[in-house]
């Protein structure tokens, strides 16, 4: 039996006889010559069988191949300029490792509900494989970006006491004799604590929001990366976000061109993502929207449509900064130049993808923060440790959270966030 080679490495074996294992995508046969396309995760390859060159048993076995049959093919690797990987396999032997009968997802069109029910199988499609590879690239890009800049990774808890972004959207569970525990909405408050120990830190993990939102931008479980930087102002924070987002887009363009092609992504729209990003104060944004006929009043948060309108006329993400305090979380620092507002920013992606980042400078004054906690009716004792950070060596610091799935959806050009994660959790989806 020839040695097994991953499909992505076949190019290095031109002229040799090797084995490939994987799953059948498609077959076709003219009666004299037959073709089988196989996927092994690393790539795709076409196997070619000539009836005259293989034993009759192998030819008959080919006829039994159905979509998603697991196979081992053996044969000579041949250069073939027309093939996607530049090679094809001249098959001499074929073994069925696992049959597949009536695979439910056929090349015909299926409705989204059906595909979501079969998500565990849908993942094998070329399109879903491409999305998962882009997601992988973005995750690796995130880790490399922060590692290269001297940030330390700090893993924050998923089970927390009642502490987070805001009340009202916490998933809760019983926690032994200690009452209720809540699934983390954010790791931010914990990375703020770690920031005073390590200077530049980030956390990257799943976060949970029990929001009853049924939009194409909301998941109940999503991954968020949250850097926190000591002695960084809101302005420094936006510059870091710019560098971060442009580095991720450039990395995907550079390393995942094949996947973006599979997704029919207009890469010209990604190639224009360069720093600096335009900045618009919240007050300017409201004026702009009103000039376009919107009924938005100063003080109201921007809705998804407002975000789309602000970002759609531009070729790169836009920062909207310094929102009214009433529209934002309690921990954001009051703007000394206009105390009705806080030092924060949302980064809005173009093409209607909306907010991919929320960030802010943090309130570092003990009394002001305590007042904000009281004002919002938050359980003060739960925030005692968080207030301690302002009691023992308080410091200017800023950070942000980038939603991974929204970023994947934008970079891949997806219609809906549900395709940006392998097993999405949404209001009406807990299985598979
Ligand atoms: O704006 P958010 O709520 O900010 C925070 O959680 C801060 N604690 C971050 C920080 O400063 N460390 O969420 C940040 C990002 C959003 O911009 C969005 O990309 C994503 O998280 N996000 C969601 N993604 C999918 N589904 C949801 N329900 C999301 N809610 C927020
Ligand atoms: Mg936000």
């Amino acid at each position: 039996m020839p040695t097994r080679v991953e499909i992505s490495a076949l190019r290095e074996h031109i002229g040799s006889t090797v084995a490939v294992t994987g799953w059948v995508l498609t077959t076709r046969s003219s009666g004299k010559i037959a073709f089988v396309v196989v996927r092994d995760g690393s790539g795709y390859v076409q196997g070619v069988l000539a009836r005259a060159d293989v034993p009759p048993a192998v030819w008959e076995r080919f006829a039994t191949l159905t979509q998603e049959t697991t196979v081992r093919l053996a044969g000579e690797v041949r250069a073939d300029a027309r093939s996607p990987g530049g090679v094809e396999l001249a098959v001499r032997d074929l073994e069925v490792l696992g049959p597949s009968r009536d695979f439910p997802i056929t090349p015909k069109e299926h409705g989204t509900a059906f595909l979501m029910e079969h998500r565990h199988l849908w993942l094998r499609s070329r399109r879903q494989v491409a999305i998962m590879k882009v997601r992988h690239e973005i995750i690796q890009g995130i880790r490399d970006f922060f590692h290269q800049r001297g940030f330390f990774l700090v893993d924050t808890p998923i089970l927390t006491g009642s502490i987070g972004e805001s009340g009202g959207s916490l998933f809760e569970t019983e926690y032994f004799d200690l009452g209720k525990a809540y699934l983390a909405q954010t790791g931010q408050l914990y990375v703020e604590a770690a920031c005073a120990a390590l200077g530049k830190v980030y956390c990257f993990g799943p976060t949970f929001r029990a929001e009853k939102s049924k939009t194409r931008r909301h998941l109940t479980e999503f991954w968020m990366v949250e850097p926190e930087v000591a002695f960084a102002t809101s302005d420094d924070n936006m510059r870091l976000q710019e560098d971060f987002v442009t580095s991720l887009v450039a990395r995907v363009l550079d390393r995942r061109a094949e996947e973006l092609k599979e997704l029919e992504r207009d890469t010209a729209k990604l190639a224009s993502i360069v720093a600096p990003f335009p900045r618009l104060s919240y007050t300017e944004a409201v004026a702009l929207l009103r000039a376009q006929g919107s009924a938005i009043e100063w003080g109201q948060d921007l809705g998804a449509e407002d975000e789309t309108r602000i970002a759609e006329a531009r070729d790169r993400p836009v920062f909207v900064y310094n929102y009214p305090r009433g529209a934002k979380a309690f921990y954001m620092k009051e703007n000394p130049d206009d105390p009705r507002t806080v030092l924060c920013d949302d980064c809005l992606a173009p093409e209607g993808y909306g907010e991919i980042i929320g960030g802010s400078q943090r309130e570092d004054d003990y009394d002001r923060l305590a007042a904000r906690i009281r004002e919002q009716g938050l359980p003060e004792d739960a925030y005692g440790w968080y207030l301690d950070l302002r009691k023992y060596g308080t410091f200017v610091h800023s950070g942000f959270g980038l939603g991974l799935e929204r970023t994947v959806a934008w970079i891949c050009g997806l219609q809906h966030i549900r395709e940006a994660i392998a097993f999405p959790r949404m209001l009406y989806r807990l299985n598979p």
Side-chain angles (χ1 to χ4, degrees), residues 165 209 328 346 355 357-358:
E165 274 301 291
R209 306 265 166 111
K328 290 290 176 191
D346 278 359
E355 181 196 330
I357 293 180

Side-chain angles (χ1 to χ4, degrees), residues 59-199:
W59 187 257
E60 277 157 34
R61 237 174 279 146
F62 171 83
T64 69
L65 298 184
T66 51
Q67 202 187 340
E68 294 304 322
T69 301
T70 325
V71 288
R72 181 189 286 121
L73 306 178
E76 189 188 327
V77 185
R78 286 198 303 225
D80 180 72
R82 292 157 307 167
S83 297
V87 293
E88 64 176 21
L89 197 68
V91 178
R92 289 299 162 89
D93 196 12
L94 180 167
E95 198 182 331
V96 171
L97 303 178
S100 164
R101 256 167 249 115
D102 304 324
F103 188 70
I105 303 173
T106 56
K108 70 163 195 192
E109 289 274 312
H110 294 282
T112 307
F114 179 85
L115 291 171
M116 289 304 297
E117 285 301 321
H118 295 86
R119 183 67 176 162
H120 53 298
L121 302 176
W122 187 23
L123 288 181
R124 303 181 187 193
S125 76
R126 277 183 182 267
R127 175 180 163 83
Q128 299 306 317
V129 166
I131 296 169
M132 286 188 287
K133 287 188 179 180
V134 172
R135 179 184 166 109
H136 165 83
E137 196 65 51
I138 293 173
I139 292 173
Q140 199 57 45
I142 288 170
R143 298 212 180 278
D144 288 349
F145 179 90
F146 289 116
H147 181 71
Q148 281 158 10
R149 286 170 185 243
F151 283 67
F152 296 101
L153 174 71
V154 176
D155 297 311
T156 53
I158 288 171
L159 287 168
T160 67
S162 75
I163 188 155
E165 274 301 291
S166 60
S169 62
L170 288 160
F171 282 108
E172 52 177 63
T173 181
E174 294 304 321
Y175 196 79
F176 309 112
D177 295 335
L178 298 182
K180 292 207 187 311
Y182 303 89
L183 299 186
Q185 295 170 322
T186 171
Q188 179 196 322
L189 308 192
Y190 297 96
V191 279
E192 282 188 57
C195 184
L198 295 160

Side-chain angles (χ1 to χ4, degrees), residues 92-312:
R92 289 299 162 89
D93 196 12
L94 180 167
E95 198 182 331
V96 171
L97 303 178
S100 164
R101 256 167 249 115
D102 304 324
F103 188 70
I105 303 173
T106 56
K108 70 163 195 192
E109 289 274 312
H110 294 282
T112 307
F114 179 85
L115 291 171
M116 289 304 297
E117 285 301 321
H118 295 86
R119 183 67 176 162
H120 53 298
L121 302 176
W122 187 23
L123 288 181
R124 303 181 187 193
S125 76
R126 277 183 182 267
R127 175 180 163 83
Q128 299 306 317
V129 166
I131 296 169
M132 286 188 287
K133 287 188 179 180
V134 172
R135 179 184 166 109
H136 165 83
E137 196 65 51
I138 293 173
I139 292 173
Q140 199 57 45
I142 288 170
R143 298 212 180 278
D144 288 349
F145 179 90
F146 289 116
H147 181 71
Q148 281 158 10
R149 286 170 185 243
F151 283 67
F152 296 101
L153 174 71
V154 176
D155 297 311
T156 53
I158 288 171
L159 287 168
T160 67
S162 75
I163 188 155
E165 274 301 291
S166 60
S169 62
L170 288 160
F171 282 108
E172 52 177 63
T173 181
E174 294 304 321
Y175 196 79
F176 309 112
D177 295 335
L178 298 182
K180 292 207 187 311
Y182 303 89
L183 299 186
Q185 295 170 322
T186 171
Q188 179 196 322
L189 308 192
Y190 297 96
V191 279
E192 282 188 57
C195 184
L198 295 160
K200 292 188 290 189
V201 294
Y202 75 103
C203 63
F204 188 13
T207 47
F208 305 86
R209 306 265 166 111
E211 292 162 6
K212 296 202 166 160
S213 309
K214 245 182 81 179
T215 78
R216 56 197 187 90
R217 296 177 182 185
H218 286 86
L219 295 167
T220 53
E221 176 178 323
F222 64 96
W223 282 63
M224 182 158 51
V225 53
E226 297 182 89
E228 193 70 33
V229 183
F231 311 110
T233 62
S234 183
D235 186 56
D236 299 331
N237 199 27
M238 282 187 266
R239 256 181 280 146
L240 180 64
Q241 291 166 45
E242 234 161 47
D243 289 350
F244 181 48
V245 171
T246 51
S247 89
L248 296 179
V249 171
R251 178 162 173 153
V252 174
L253 278 172
D254 181 35
R255 303 194 192 194
R256 293 293 164 189
E258 217 173 280
E259 286 75 15
L260 293 175
K261 194 167 163 216
E262 174 69 44
L263 296 168
E264 296 174 357
R265 182 65 167 108
D266 179 354
T267 49
K269 292 222 162 72
L270 296 177
S272 66
I273 310 302
V274 287
F277 297 167
R279 295 185 187 189
L280 214 61
S281 73
Y282 167 86
T283 303
E284 287 164 343
V286 168
L288 184 92
L289 290 167
R290 289 183 64 92
Q292 293 177 1
S294 160
I296 191 170
E297 299 281 348
W298 197 98
Q300 289 172 351
D301 201 0
L302 302 184
E305 268 174 45
D306 302 321
E307 290 178 353
T308 299
R309 216 167 298 158
I310 291 166
E312 75 191 344

